[in-house]
Amino acid sequence: MIEVEVVGKLEDLRSVALDAPSHATVRRLCVLAAASAGVEDGHLAIEYVDAERIAQLNAEHRGKAAPTDVLSFPIDGAAPHAGLARELGDVVICPEHTIDLREAIVHGVLHLVGMDHETDNGEMLALQAELLAWERADDP
């Protein structure tokens, strides 16, 4: 089972993004993205931050002194860990710089499970689009 922790106040998020997904939708997106890479158990966190915080993280970890939409910080990756709970990592999202929060969630989780659109000839972004189309078709 994928355990999803959402950090950041949803009320604050809704003031920036009116289409902010519910916790249930966030969990469903995370489970869908992880399962697409064969990962069915582990823990991950989705954190919503402001532009200042994501710019700081972007500078610190990517050497880019500017805000961005989403950053992923994988810990254990997609490889199974015998008998141990898997810590997939954290996805940090800045709603102020994100056009589609659902897309940012899926994008971030795909990175946590080992995918990289900068090196994979488009496979990750194609899968991301497919997963979002499925999720939107099933969204109640």
Side-chain angles (χ1 to χ4, degrees), residues 11-110:
E11 302 80 42
D12 294 344
L13 177 60
R14 291 197 190 279
S15 68
V16 175
L18 297 176
D19 65 339
S22 68
H23 286 293
T25 299
V26 170
R27 184 180 186 292
R28 187 172 62 246
L29 288 165
C30 292
V31 168
L32 182 63
S36 74
V39 177
E40 297 180 357
D41 64 346
H43 172 269
L44 66 90
I46 303 291
E47 181 176 6
Y48 300 113
V49 299
D50 62 19
E52 182 179 343
R53 178 67 178 139
I54 205 151
Q56 177 187 30
L57 291 168
N58 204 19
E60 197 174 302
H61 295 279
R62 296 181 66 225
K64 298 182 179 187
T68 188
D69 56 350
V70 60
L71 294 171
S72 295
F73 298 97
I75 296 176
D76 289 339
H81 290 77
L84 301 174
R86 184 183 329 198
E87 182 61 43
L88 297 172
D90 301 328
V91 176
V92 181
I93 299 172
C94 178
E96 295 171 66
H97 290 274
T98 303
I99 294 171
D100 183 338
L101 290 170
R102 287 170 168 81
E103 182 177 332
I105 292 164
V106 169
H107 187 92
V109 174
L110 290 175

Side-chain angles (χ1 to χ4, degrees), residues 3 10 21 24 38-39 52 84 86 92 111 118 135-137:
E3 181 185 343
L10 197 56
V39 177
E52 182 179 343
L84 301 174
R86 184 183 329 198
V92 181
H111 276 302
E118 294 181 6
E135 193 274 334
R136 286 188 174 112

Side-chain angles (χ1 to χ4, degrees), residues 36-37 110-117 119-120 123-125 127:
S36 74
L110 290 175
H111 276 302
L112 293 184
V113 295
M115 300 192 84
D116 187 352
H117 57 86
T119 61
D120 73 1
E123 288 93 350
M124 178 183 158
L125 296 178
L127 176 59

